[in-house]
Coordinates of all heavy atoms in Angstrom, one line a residue:
L270 N 8.0 -5.5 -7.8 CA 7.3 -5.3 -6.5 C 6.1 -4.4 -6.8 O 6.2 -3.4 -7.4 CB 8.2 -4.7 -5.5 CG 7.6 -4.6 -4.1 CD1 7.2 -6.0 -3.5 CD2 8.5 -3.9 -3.1
G271 N 4.9 -4.9 -6.3 CA 3.7 -4.2 -6.6 C 3.2 -3.3 -5.5 O 2.4 -2.4 -5.8
C272 N 3.6 -3.5 -4.3 CA 3.1 -2.7 -3.2 C 4.0 -2.8 -2.0 O 4.7 -3.8 -1.8 CB 1.7 -3.2 -2.8 SG 0.9 -2.4 -1.4
M273 N 4.0 -1.7 -1.2 CA 4.8 -1.6 0.0 C 3.8 -1.2 1.1 O 2.9 -0.4 0.9 CB 5.9 -0.7 -0.1 CG 6.9 -0.9 -1.2 SD 7.7 0.6 -1.8 CE 6.4 1.5 -2.5
I274 N 4.1 -1.7 2.4 CA 3.3 -1.3 3.5 C 4.3 -0.8 4.6 O 5.3 -1.5 4.9 CB 2.5 -2.4 4.1 CG1 1.5 -3.0 3.0 CG2 1.7 -2.0 5.3 CD1 0.8 -4.3 3.5
G275 N 4.1 0.3 5.2 CA 4.9 0.8 6.2 C 4.3 2.0 6.9 O 3.1 2.2 6.9
K276 N 5.2 2.9 7.4 CA 4.7 4.2 8.0 C 5.7 5.2 7.6 O 6.9 4.9 7.5 CB 4.5 4.1 9.5 CG 5.7 3.8 10.3 CD 5.4 3.8 11.8 CE 6.7 3.6 12.5 NZ 6.5 3.5 14.0
G277 N 5.3 6.4 7.5 CA 6.2 7.5 7.2 C 6.4 7.9 5.8 O 5.9 7.1 4.9
A278 N 7.0 9.0 5.6 CA 7.2 9.6 4.2 C 8.2 8.7 3.4 O 9.0 8.0 4.0 CB 7.7 11.0 4.3
R279 N 8.2 8.9 2.1 CA 9.1 8.3 1.2 C 9.9 9.4 0.4 O 9.4 10.5 0.2 CB 8.4 7.4 0.1 CG 7.5 6.4 0.7 CD 8.1 5.5 1.7 NE 9.2 4.7 1.4 CZ 9.2 3.4 1.0 NH1 8.0 2.8 0.8 NH2 10.3 2.8 0.7
N280 N 11.1 9.1 0.0 CA 11.9 10.1 -0.8 C 11.4 10.2 -2.2 O 10.7 9.4 -2.7 CB 13.4 9.9 -0.6 CG 13.9 8.7 -1.3 OD1 13.4 8.3 -2.3 ND2 15.1 8.2 -0.9
D281 N 11.9 11.3 -2.9 CA 11.5 11.5 -4.3 C 11.9 10.4 -5.2 O 11.1 10.1 -6.2 CB 12.2 12.8 -4.8 CG 11.6 14.1 -4.1 OD1 10.5 14.0 -3.5 OD2 12.3 15.1 -4.2
A282 N 13.0 9.7 -5.0 CA 13.4 8.6 -5.9 C 12.4 7.5 -5.8 O 12.1 6.8 -6.8 CB 14.9 8.1 -5.5
V283 N 12.0 7.2 -4.6 CA 11.0 6.1 -4.4 C 9.7 6.5 -5.1 O 9.1 5.7 -5.8 CB 10.7 5.8 -2.9 CG1 9.6 4.8 -2.8 CG2 12.0 5.2 -2.3
V284 N 9.2 7.7 -4.9 CA 7.9 8.2 -5.5 C 8.0 8.1 -7.1 O 7.1 7.6 -7.7 CB 7.5 9.6 -5.0 CG1 6.3 10.1 -5.8 CG2 7.3 9.5 -3.5
E285 N 9.2 8.5 -7.6 CA 9.4 8.4 -9.1 C 9.3 7.0 -9.6 O 8.7 6.7 -10.6 CB 10.6 9.1 -9.5 CG 10.6 10.7 -9.4 CD 9.4 11.2 -10.2 OE1 9.2 10.8 -11.4 OE2 8.7 12.1 -9.7
A286 N 10.0 6.1 -8.8 CA 10.0 4.7 -9.2 C 8.5 4.1 -9.0 O 8.1 3.2 -9.8 CB 10.9 3.9 -8.3
M287 N 7.8 4.6 -8.1 CA 6.4 4.1 -7.9 C 5.6 4.5 -9.1 O 4.8 3.7 -9.7 CB 5.8 4.7 -6.7 CG 6.3 4.2 -5.4 SD 5.7 5.0 -3.9 CE 3.9 4.8 -4.1
K288 N 5.7 5.8 -9.6 CA 5.0 6.3 -10.7 C 5.4 5.5 -12.0 O 4.6 5.1 -12.8 CB 5.2 7.8 -10.9 CG 4.5 8.6 -9.8 CD 4.7 10.1 -9.7 CE 5.4 10.8 -10.7 NZ 5.6 12.2 -10.4
R289 N 6.7 5.3 -12.1 CA 7.3 4.6 -13.3 C 6.7 3.2 -13.4 O 6.5 2.6 -14.5 CB 8.8 4.6 -13.2 CG 9.5 4.0 -14.3 CD 11.0 4.2 -14.2 NE 11.7 3.7 -13.0 CZ 12.3 4.4 -12.1 NH1 12.3 5.7 -12.1 NH2 12.8 3.8 -11.0
N290 N 6.5 2.5 -12.3 CA 6.2 1.1 -12.2 C 4.7 0.8 -11.8 O 4.3 -0.3 -11.6 CB 7.1 0.4 -11.3 CG 8.5 0.3 -11.8 OD1 8.8 -0.4 -12.8 ND2 9.4 1.1 -11.2
C291 N 3.9 1.9 -11.6 CA 2.5 1.7 -11.2 C 2.4 0.9 -9.9 O 1.9 -0.2 -9.9 CB 1.7 1.1 -12.3 SG -0.1 1.2 -12.0
V292 N 2.9 1.5 -8.8 CA 3.0 0.9 -7.5 C 2.3 1.8 -6.5 O 2.4 3.0 -6.6 CB 4.5 0.6 -7.1 CG1 4.6 0.1 -5.7 CG2 5.1 -0.4 -8.1
V293 N 1.8 1.2 -5.4 CA 1.2 2.0 -4.3 C 2.0 1.7 -3.0 O 2.6 0.7 -2.9 CB -0.3 1.8 -4.1 CG1 -1.1 2.2 -5.3 CG2 -0.6 0.3 -3.8
Y294 N 1.9 2.7 -2.1 CA 2.5 2.6 -0.8 C 1.3 2.7 0.2 O 0.6 3.7 0.2 CB 3.5 3.7 -0.6 CG 4.0 3.9 0.8 CD1 4.4 2.8 1.6 CD2 4.1 5.2 1.3 CE1 4.9 3.0 2.9 CE2 4.6 5.4 2.6 CZ 5.0 4.3 3.4 OH 5.4 4.5 4.7
L295 N 1.1 1.7 1.0 CA 0.0 1.7 1.9 C 0.6 1.9 3.3 O 1.7 1.5 3.7 CB -0.7 0.3 1.9 CG -1.3 -0.1 0.5 CD1 -1.9 -1.5 0.6 CD2 -2.3 0.9 0.1
G296 N -0.2 2.5 4.2 CA 0.2 2.8 5.6 C -0.5 1.9 6.5 O -1.7 1.7 6.4
A297 N 0.2 1.4 7.5 CA -0.3 0.7 8.7 C -0.1 1.6 9.9 O 0.8 2.4 9.9 CB 0.4 -0.7 8.9
I298 N -1.0 1.5 10.8 CA -0.9 2.3 12.0 C 0.2 1.9 12.9 O 0.2 0.8 13.5 CB -2.3 2.4 12.7 CG1 -3.3 2.9 11.8 CG2 -2.2 3.2 14.0 CD1 -4.7 2.8 12.3
G299 N 1.1 2.8 13.2 CA 2.2 2.6 14.1 C 1.6 2.5 15.5 O 0.6 3.2 15.8
G300 N 2.1 1.6 16.3 CA 1.6 1.4 17.7 C 0.4 0.5 17.8 O -0.1 0.2 18.9
A301 N 0.0 -0.1 16.6 CA -1.1 -1.0 16.6 C -0.7 -2.4 16.2 O -1.5 -3.2 15.7 CB -2.2 -0.5 15.7
G302 N 0.5 -2.8 16.6 CA 1.1 -4.1 16.2 C 0.3 -5.3 16.7 O 0.1 -6.3 16.0
A303 N -0.3 -5.2 17.9 CA -1.1 -6.3 18.4 C -2.4 -6.4 17.7 O -2.8 -7.5 17.3 CB -1.3 -6.1 19.9
L304 N -3.0 -5.3 17.3 CA -4.2 -5.3 16.5 C -4.0 -5.8 15.1 O -4.7 -6.6 14.6 CB -4.8 -3.9 16.5 CG -6.1 -3.7 15.6 CD1 -7.2 -4.5 16.2 CD2 -6.5 -2.3 15.6
I305 N -2.9 -5.4 14.5 CA -2.5 -5.9 13.2 C -2.3 -7.4 13.2 O -2.7 -8.1 12.3 CB -1.3 -5.1 12.7 CG1 -1.6 -3.6 12.4 CG2 -0.7 -5.8 11.5 CD1 -0.4 -2.7 12.1
A306 N -1.7 -7.9 14.3 CA -1.4 -9.3 14.4 C -2.7 -10.2 14.3 O -2.7 -11.3 13.8 CB -0.7 -9.6 15.7
E307 N -3.8 -9.6 14.7 CA -5.1 -10.3 14.6 C -5.5 -10.6 13.2 O -6.3 -11.5 12.9 CB -6.2 -9.5 15.3 CG -6.0 -9.5 16.8 CD -7.0 -8.6 17.6 OE1 -8.1 -8.3 16.9 OE2 -6.8 -8.3 18.7
S308 N -5.0 -9.8 12.2 CA -5.3 -10.0 10.8 C -4.4 -11.1 10.2 O -4.6 -11.4 9.0 CB -5.2 -8.7 10.0 OG -6.2 -7.8 10.5

């Protein structure tokens, strides 16, 4: 898996796995679901 999109913090095990696998975590704005749907 190359990327995750969500909201909120991640635990240490996830961050270590991200570093080990060269992955990023992107944030979407909570409460903006209708706006996001336009994309």
Side-chain angles (χ1 to χ4, degrees):
L270 184 63
C272 176
M273 304 154 291
I274 303 170
K276 66 179 182 181
R279 306 310 299 265
N280 71 23
D281 291 341
V283 171
V284 175
E285 286 306 313
M287 290 174 60
K288 291 174 7 185
R289 179 172 65 245
N290 292 289
C291 190
V292 174
V293 294
Y294 169 47
L295 303 177
I298 298 171
L304 178 63
I305 290 168
E307 292 178 11
S308 294

